[in-house]
Amino acid sequence: MTKTICLTMAQALTRFLARQMTEIDGKKVPIFGGVWAIFGHGNVAGVGEALYQVRDELPTFRAHNEQAMAHAAIAYAKANFRRRFMAATSSIGPGALNMVTAAALAHVNRLPVLFLPGDVFANRIPDPVLQQAEDFSDGTATVNDCFRPVSRYFDRITRPEQIIPALNRAMQVLTDPAECGPVTLSLCQDVQAEAYDYPESFFAERVWHQRRPRPDRSELAAAVAALTGAKKPLMIAGGGVLFSQASGELAKLVQDAGMPVCETQGGKSSLPDDHPLNMAAVGVTGTSAANRLAEEADVVLAVGTRLQDFTTGSWALFKNSGKTIVGLNVQPFDAGKHQALPLVADAAEGLAELGAALKGWKAPAAWTDNAARGKKDWQADADKATASTNAAYPSDAQVIGAVQRAMGSDVILLHAAGGLPGELHKLWQAGAPGSYHAEYGFSTMGYEIAGGLGVKMAKPEEEVVVMIGDGSYLMLNSEIATSVMLGLKLTVVLLDNRGYGCINRLQMATGGANFNNLLKDARHEVLPDIDFAAHAASLGAIAEKVSSISGLETALAQAKKNTRTTVLVIDTDPLVSTEAGGSWWDVAVPEVSVRPQVNAARKKYEEALSGRP
Ligand SMILES: Cc1ncc(C[n+]2csc(CCOP(=O)(O)OP(=O)(O)O)c2C)c(N)n1
Ligand SMILES: [Mg+2]
């Protein structure tokens, strides 16, 4: 007879999660780094009680905002190159829906996270319960259905035994490099508390390993044929290179074939910035070194990238009309984008096999030399943009220069939204793989501080530096208090340009009036003068407002020594961004307007559209 154990569904769930393991550097560790939780009715009695039972093997962490705690969980997975991840549980209704944006963030960035929102009573007897939305035509609909389009796998648990197949599927999705993304198990409140005789075998320890699919022979042959015929080959390294930990294989192919490589936001730090054939950032926020080559490239080997519009300059960047794209990607959906020759494989395996098959082949020397020269030219431009200044309102680039000089390249630098992503993509000189952590798939304002916390949980020995604008900070900053509470130190550099600087610049570039972006241009009775240092200090951080670039460097040197989260605030210029580099980006401009500036911008827009190959 099958041996069983009588547990509530929630107890079975947490016991199962605690038994899932993985191997990192030959050492067996739990695959779940813990569970983030904010309790309410809908999870405190069921999941809450069950988490308490396993608190030694599967730690629970309390946050201040459900979206933020999910950000922390997601950043943790990214910093672990998807080898380890976390769960996030909420009450029903608003607590659950606070996590939907974070679910979308994980979905877009292909990052594993297990969402466990509480849901309504499966038995429906007490309906409508507090925080339950009522659908007049569909008795099965609950607000948690909002998770469906932003989950790679969604299930609603209405009977306790359903978690047996549901958790099996959840683990498949969370650990599969191609399918990887958020999983939502929506847990009906009454079912969390319901007991069932679970087979003991369900709780057997399991060790998960990352699958590394090797390329198909005919796809490999087609890719090799395309590359050996190339005169101007260029590689794009996306986030998949980092997830696959394929930097070694990438460097070897770059070196052996003399083939230059450029990096997406997700792929930056695949190679150190100072590698002579790393052209660094490509696309809308790209370097001149990368974009010059992208314009001419005849074969583009796109590795582990989603080819989003910032990478392709809305498909206006790659101007060579005869170009061939080879899509090396573990996910066929990405590998075949834009009529690419698909090369479906793990990045490390794919690059290694390509390298072996290309043995002896080299890109034309003139192309390789041209690339290396372009990189040097770019570096001179970048050095100019990031040089120190005495200006009262420095640019973002000048602040980046200060952070780089004070902190070096051996920190993990994190950012997500505003003007900083573009400037950092171009200008930050990344070091080791994973040292540049951009959330630029969804570019969610408010990811930064909670994301930094997740990275620090994953890499407690590393110095984590968060760069954030005033807008993002005001949207979501509460996990500063959590970082202090947990003793997880962050260094936060807050650039206060008094509003949404980058959107204001985009507004002007599309012919718009200065309107509703900078605080001074928004309807107000009193112009806000926000004391960010006082705010951060009130949450427990060491905080200081600095008045100059050199003051920032001094404060950063001290922040390095601090053991508590430190927030440094500096006023910056909202109107300046780095001119050098970059490429066109498709943002639709109104076709008719009473504003002549809009009409002029529309004319330029139409010219750009007609130039798109
Ligand atoms: C949640 C969310 N809302 C809106 C946006 C659109 N958006 C992108 S950047 C930005 C302004 C960010 O302001 P701030 O953090 O101060 O950075 P700055 O643009 O001033 O550099 C806005 C509103 C977004 N990315 N995320
Ligand atoms: Mg701002």
Side-chain angles (χ1 to χ4, degrees):
M1 231 183 66
T2 314
K3 270 185 131 177
T4 60
I5 172 165
C6 181
L7 295 169
T8 69
M9 179 270 266
Q11 290 160 356
L13 169 85
T14 57
R15 183 181 284 230
F16 175 91
L17 297 183
R19 302 277 159 89
Q20 307 308 304
M21 312 297 280
T22 190
E23 252 176 27
I24 306 278
D25 301 330
K27 214 176 127 218
K28 194 167 71 175
V29 291
I31 202 161
F32 283 93
V35 180
W36 283 98
I38 293 183
F39 295 144
H41 99 90
N43 72 337
V44 70
V47 168
E49 191 269 350
L51 283 171
Y52 181 77
Q53 303 293 338
V54 295
R55 65 195 180 284
D56 293 332
E57 308 100 83
L58 182 67
T60 297
F61 302 98
R62 183 192 178 285
H64 297 289
N65 174 296
E66 291 89 355
Q67 180 182 346
M69 73 183 189
H71 287 170
I74 292 163
Y76 176 90
K78 180 165 175 144
N80 273 302
F81 300 127
R82 312 197 295 190
R83 303 298 191 276
R84 299 185 73 196
F85 31 80
M86 301 182 92
T89 178
S90 74
S91 56
I92 86 166
L97 290 199
N98 269 355
M99 299 197 295
V100 172
T101 303
L105 186 165
H107 192 278
V108 169
N109 286 288
R110 317 282 169 85
L111 289 166
V113 54
L114 178 61
F115 289 104
L116 300 169
D119 208 335
V120 302
F121 277 70
N123 68 25
R124 313 238 181 104
I125 290 170
D127 282 13
V129 298
L130 176 71
Q131 302 171 318
Q132 175 173 353
E134 295 176 275
D135 191 302
F136 296 157
S137 61
D138 183 352
T140 68
T142 85
V143 295
N144 285 6
D145 289 306
C146 296
F147 281 96
R148 288 178 190 270
V150 290
S151 298
R152 290 264 171 240
Y153 173 62
F154 175 94
D155 203 352
R156 176 169 288 119
I157 306 300
T158 59
R159 292 177 60 95
E161 62 271 41
Q162 284 172 351
I163 60 163
I164 298 173
L167 281 169
N168 190 51
R169 179 68 188 135
M171 290 307 298
Q172 284 175 354
V173 171
L174 292 168
T175 58
D176 185 301
E179 282 197 291
C180 189
V183 169
T184 303
L185 300 182
S186 190
L187 305 176
C188 288
Q189 168 173 176
D190 49 345
V191 185
Q192 288 177 35
E194 220 174 306
Y196 180 78
D197 291 320
Y198 290 92
E200 274 193 358
S201 58
F202 180 52
F203 305 107
E205 186 181 285
R206 173 128 189 215
V207 184
W208 296 86
H209 292 104
Q210 186 97 4
R211 185 179 302 119
R212 288 189 178 276
R214 294 170 61 181
D216 170 78
R217 277 185 221 163
S218 62
E219 287 188 356
L220 183 65
V224 168
L227 277 164
T228 48
K231 301 274 174 299
K232 297 175 173 182
L234 178 65
M235 265 198 278
I236 304 177
V241 173
L242 292 168
F243 293 153
S244 164
Q245 297 182 281
S247 293
E249 290 78 1
L250 178 74
K252 185 163 181 350
L253 186 54
V254 167
Q255 212 57 47
D256 291 353
M259 181 160 38
V261 62
C262 52
E263 296 173 326
T264 70
Q265 282 276 14
K268 189 171 163 89
S269 77
S270 288
L271 289 188
D273 193 83
D274 59 10
H275 189 295
L277 285 182
N278 182 3
M279 303 293 106
V282 67
V284 177
T285 54
T287 68
S288 56
N291 287 352
R292 261 174 0 119
L293 301 188
E295 288 187 3
E296 287 185 50
D298 57 359
V299 176
V300 179
L301 174 57
V303 189
T305 164
R306 297 163 54 237
L307 293 171
Q308 66 143 313
D309 64 349
F310 262 74
T311 301
T312 64
S314 307
W315 284 106
L317 178 60
F318 298 90
K319 296 205 190 309
N320 189 328
S321 55
K323 69 182 169 294
T324 301
I325 301 168
V326 179
L328 168 50
N329 207 296
V330 74
Q331 170 54 257
F333 180 87
D334 297 306
K337 275 179 180 167
H338 299 279
Q339 294 81 44
L341 288 178
L343 181 59
V344 177
D346 167 71
E349 293 288 345
L351 286 168
E353 292 205 18
L354 259 182
L358 287 168
K359 203 170 165 52
W361 173 78
K362 266 191 166 316
W367 176 249
T368 309
D369 296 346
N370 175 26
R373 264 198 313 278
K375 177 69 183 297
K376 277 201 186 132
D377 293 348
W378 166 256
Q379 203 48 58
D381 284 345
D383 290 347
K384 248 183 254 158
T386 53
S388 193
T389 175
N390 293 322
Y393 292 105
S395 66
D396 289 3
Q398 288 161 338
V399 174
I400 290 167
V403 176
Q404 187 103 57
R405 287 189 293 277
M407 308 303 272
S409 294
D410 294 335
V411 297
I412 301 183
L413 190 282
L414 183 145
H415 66 90
L420 280 166
E423 298 294 302
L424 286 162
H425 192 209
K426 277 183 190 177
L427 301 170
W428 184 257
Q429 294 169 18
S435 64
Y436 179 86
H437 184 124
E439 194 288 277
Y440 210 62
F442 212 44
S443 189
T444 310
M445 288 171 73
Y447 174 80
E448 296 91 338
I449 288 165
L453 179 58
V455 173
K456 189 69 180 172
M457 288 178 115
K459 305 272 170 192
E461 69 291 350
E462 304 269 348
E463 191 72 44
V464 179
V465 180
V466 173
M467 291 190 75
I468 186 168
D470 55 307
S472 250
Y473 180 91
L474 287 174
M475 208 172 265
L476 203 41
N477 53 60
S478 45
E479 304 323 323
I480 286 178
T482 311
S483 79
V484 174
M485 179 166 86
L486 292 174
L488 293 167
K489 178 220 166 174
L490 307 174
T491 299
V492 179
V493 180
L494 194 167
L495 289 76
D496 181 8
N497 59 11
R498 299 153 305 284
Y500 302 150
C502 73
I503 308 296
N504 180 61
R505 293 195 297 273
L506 182 61
Q507 186 169 49
M508 290 191 290
T510 51
N514 292 304
F515 172 58
N516 208 48
N517 278 311
L518 299 183
L519 291 169
K520 72 177 176 55
D521 302 325
R523 194 176 287 260
H524 64 270
E525 296 294 326
V526 177
L527 185 63
D529 180 15
I530 298 161
D531 187 343
F532 288 99
H535 181 273
S538 78
L539 295 176
I542 299 167
E544 185 186 343
K545 175 148 184 181
V546 299
S547 54
S548 66
I549 287 292
S550 63
L552 176 61
E553 287 183 52
T554 309
L556 280 165
Q558 176 56 46
K560 239 179 165 171
K561 295 184 204 139
N562 293 348
T563 52
R564 186 152 39 105
T565 289
T566 303
V567 178
L568 302 174
V569 185
I570 184 163
D571 282 338
T572 53
D573 189 333
L575 299 178
V576 192
S577 65
T578 301
E579 289 274 319
S583 80
W584 180 74
W585 180 39
D586 192 344
V587 175
V589 179
E591 207 165 350
V592 292
S593 172
V594 292
R595 284 177 54 79
Q597 296 93 327
V598 174
N599 297 329
R602 173 75 194 187
K603 198 161 169 270
K604 271 174 72 180
Y605 176 62
E606 285 175 7
E607 281 162 18
L609 285 182
S610 66
R612 178 156 53 185

